[in-house]
Amino acid sequence: MNAYDISLIAPCGMNCGICMAYLRDKNKCPGCRGCDADKPKTRIICKIKNCRNFHKGKIRYCFECKKFPCDNLKHLDKRYRTRYHMSMMENLEHIKESGIRKFVKQEKVRWACPVCKGIICVHTGHCHSCRKKIIRIEKSRKK
Ligand SMILES: [Zn+2]
């Protein structure tokens, strides 16, 4: 599978191709737009992924929704901005402005390991190929 596939961009703007669950070898997640059957539980219960607007096929991305940005998306975005220095809302802005193809191209550059051109995992900050630490990820703060 191509890690920079258009179908790997989730409705919320998340690039599933750089997700820990997608990159791992065991119990690999096919991405939020993939089949539910072989998906880890956390993805199945995602409120955004299960939003009925997607299931009715009305919209493909959150910004097309009347409720955009809803609380679910805002919470997710805040969590990712704080912990992983990545913003779903920013991604969605890019997709809205330049289109999905251009966004995916930008993602390819953004998450390429400077050492081996492998994929940098957004959750661990490590390159998936050479395992080099690229991004410093903040430790989760207990509330
Ligand atoms: Zn690398």
Side-chain angles (χ1 to χ4, degrees):
M1 228 200 282
N2 185 356
Y4 295 107
D5 200 314
I6 286 165
S7 66
L8 281 172
I9 310 300
C12 66
M14 171 73 187
N15 179 357
C16 291
I18 57 165
C19 172
M20 208 165 83
Y22 174 82
L23 289 168
R24 70 184 169 211
D25 299 316
K26 274 182 192 170
N27 192 23
K28 201 176 159 86
C29 174
C32 285
R33 291 191 195 272
C35 173
D36 270 344
D38 28 74
K39 210 171 292 183
K41 212 173 179 185
T42 47
R43 275 74 199 171
I44 296 170
I45 60 169
C46 171
K47 280 178 188 162
I48 295 173
K49 208 254 140 199
N50 286 320
C51 174
R52 58 199 163 101
N53 286 333
F54 298 117
H55 290 276
K56 282 180 185 165
K58 280 182 183 171
I59 55 168
R60 278 185 57 80
Y61 303 103
C62 285
F63 63 77
E64 296 166 333
C65 184
K66 277 180 197 163
K67 285 181 181 167
F68 175 79
C70 68
D71 286 344
N72 290 333
L73 181 64
K74 280 192 224 165
H75 287 155
L76 183 73
D77 185 67
K78 197 182 174 196
R79 186 154 64 88
Y80 269 77
R81 269 190 287 120
T82 317
R83 288 183 64 176
Y84 308 117
H85 313 292
M86 201 275 286
S87 163
M88 272 88 182
M89 300 268 266
E90 221 174 78
N91 285 357
L92 286 170
E93 275 308 309
H94 281 195
I95 298 167
K96 196 180 173 184
E97 278 170 25
S98 352
I100 186 69
R101 273 166 212 284
K102 206 168 169 197
F103 172 75
V104 169
K105 259 188 196 170
Q106 286 169 347
E107 285 288 283
K108 206 167 182 168
V109 178
R110 186 181 177 193
W111 301 100
C113 168
V115 181
C116 75
K117 306 287 171 217
I119 300 162
I120 303 164
C121 172
V122 68
H123 296 120
T124 63
H126 283 99
C127 168
H128 181 67
S129 302
C130 70
R131 306 281 166 188
K132 200 173 163 55
K133 183 102 180 154
I134 311 290
I135 308 168
R136 222 180 117 243
I137 304 289
E138 250 109 286
K139 292 245 162 67
S140 66
R141 281 171 225 128
K142 297 245 159 68
K143 275 167 202 162

